[in-house]
Amino acid sequence: MNSPLQVRGLRKSYDGREVIAGIDFSLVRGECFGLLGPNGAGKTTTLRCCLGLTAPDAGDIVLAGEPVPLRAREARAKIGVVPQFDNLDPDFTAAENLLVYGRYFGLRDAEIRPKIAGLLEFAGLGGKEDANIRTLSGGMKRRLTLARALVNDPELLILDEPTTGLDPQARHLIWERLKRLLAQGKTILLTTHFMDEAERLCQHLAIMDAGRIIVQGAPRELIRAQIELQVVEVYGEDAPGWAAREAGKFSQRVEVSGETAFCYVDEAAPVLAQLAGEPQLRTLHRPANLEDVFLKLTGRELRD
Ligand code: ADP
């Protein structure tokens, strides 16, 4: 079966600066692929190129079997998109938003109307057909945008930061719905800044920085391959001093950020035993996770 999205040798420059520097990836049908990276890494530009909204300088993109940008319109009619910022029409009700959106894809009202109740139900908005968009919470608007993206029964859904700005309850609900869509055999491409989101949802992910994909793989594989097994986080005013004095004796790698030292170890017992004699410090011992991999590969300094 063909991949729902294949990208080869994608490049894009703005004002002589290459913001996408030759990237390759492809999605596997029925899987969730996560595109991660700090601000400015090139994620949005990549998505825009894939959707035919930004013209690449080089590379081949095949989206839903159609070459992009050549047949971007046809490709977009076969997929669903949830943009980063909700762009629902506030002058229409929830049901009208679905109808108007469906018309963009050439769907007839008679095809869309029977689906509306089911789509709203799926999005946890059952009975909200006549709701005014202005009365919906941020979480409800995001769910309505998800329902809208499903109006053409797409094989692939592309979501740009689907849970940014949502409270924990709303995030969990979106995750649960995305998992249901995966269980139905849909393919998902998402960008996210939340490593727990990527770890929960994605079978495969790519970490981008400065226009390049620096690693790709399954979340568990990346954690195994890129990082020590365990982390001991040490907090307190004296944590940087302790890190300088002691941590190197126990830890292959130590990172200090403010008043926290992160000790990356395969075996935590020796460093925990030493810390038992340092009552001024607090500690947290945990398995290494995707965020540790992300910070190791992209650094801890702020990106604007
Ligand atoms: P991300 O989504 O990972 O935060 P973007 O794709 O938005 O990254 O941006 C990548 C880089 O491209 C950034 O340095 C950004 O300033 C630059 N960029 C994006 N769009 C434009 C544009 N239309 N004109 C000039 N520079 C742009």
Side-chain angles (χ1 to χ4, degrees):
M1 264 195 298
N2 287 339
S3 161
L5 173 63
Q6 298 161 61
V7 174
R8 293 277 166 269
L10 182 66
R11 289 180 182 276
K12 177 73 185 173
S13 293
Y14 284 115
D15 311 319
R17 191 169 63 92
E18 204 164 43
V19 300
I20 305 291
I23 63 169
D24 304 279
F25 64 92
S26 60
L27 273 49
V28 175
R29 197 171 294 278
E31 287 193 1
C32 181
F33 185 100
L35 201 52
L36 315 184
N39 284 337
K43 304 178 297 294
T44 303
T45 306
T46 301
L47 290 192
R48 288 184 60 83
C49 289
C50 292
L51 292 169
L53 303 174
T54 291
D57 298 334
D60 295 308
I61 298 167
V62 180
L63 175 64
E66 308 283 355
V68 172
L70 192 65
R71 286 176 53 85
R73 209 183 150 73
E74 290 81 356
R76 284 203 301 268
K78 295 192 224 170
I79 66 158
V81 179
V82 178
Q84 194 172 335
F85 300 104
D86 297 314
N87 57 355
L88 296 161
D89 192 325
D91 295 326
F92 291 134
T93 64
E96 286 165 349
N97 264 277
L98 301 187
L99 263 181
V100 170
Y101 198 74
R103 287 180 198 147
Y104 287 139
F105 299 118
L107 298 176
R108 287 177 292 113
D109 286 11
E111 288 174 88
I112 307 167
R113 280 191 200 282
K115 290 191 193 174
I116 288 178
L119 287 170
L120 292 177
E121 190 66 43
F122 175 81
L125 296 169
K128 293 277 181 196
E129 278 84 346
D130 297 326
N132 181 323
I133 301 303
R134 291 187 181 89
T135 66
L136 302 180
S137 68
M140 289 165 124
K141 284 186 197 162
R142 197 67 57 88
R143 271 143 47 206
L144 182 56
T145 312
L146 177 62
R148 191 185 65 173
L150 297 170
V151 80
N152 55 336
D153 194 21
E155 53 185 292
L156 166 65
L157 261 181
I158 297 185
L159 306 107
D160 196 2
E161 298 191 21
T163 65
T164 296
L166 299 187
D167 65 24
Q169 287 84 353
R171 296 180 72 203
H172 279 269
L173 199 128
I174 295 266
W175 290 339
E176 193 271 327
R177 292 308 195 265
L178 295 182
K179 283 191 174 164
R180 273 203 221 173
L181 292 170
L182 290 167
Q184 290 168 13
K186 304 241 186 251
T187 309
I188 293 179
L189 167 61
L190 60 82
T191 71
T192 182
H193 285 299
F194 300 115
M195 299 299 131
D196 58 332
E197 178 163 292
E199 240 179 294
R200 256 167 224 267
L201 292 175
C202 299
Q203 281 77 37
H204 198 95
L205 49 89
I207 299 180
M208 286 189 78
D209 200 8
R212 292 194 162 75
I213 291 179
I214 48 181
V215 284
Q216 9 187 344
R220 292 275 122 215
E221 272 169 30
L222 290 180
I223 294 167
R224 227 181 355 253
Q226 296 287 337
I227 202 127
E228 296 78 5
L229 294 172
Q230 305 187 51
V231 187
V232 179
E233 295 186 15
V234 182
Y235 309 93
E237 243 176 84
D238 185 38
W242 173 85
R245 280 192 316 273
E246 299 290 339
K249 298 176 192 166
F250 307 100
S251 177
Q252 293 95 316
R253 208 159 54 77
V254 185
E255 291 180 11
V256 176
S257 176
E259 290 190 350
T260 307
F262 297 82
C263 302
Y264 292 92
V265 291
D266 286 329
E267 178 50 66
V271 68
L272 291 172
Q274 197 280 332
L275 281 161
E278 305 269 3
Q280 79 285 13
L281 297 170
R282 284 172 297 127
T283 60
L284 170 70
H285 174 208
R286 59 173 176 82
N289 61 34
L290 195 57
E291 187 146 311
D292 298 307
V293 173
F294 185 87
L295 289 168
K296 179 186 171 195
L297 296 175
T298 63
R300 285 181 187 270
E301 67 278 12
L302 281 180
R303 311 292 178 97
D304 291 321

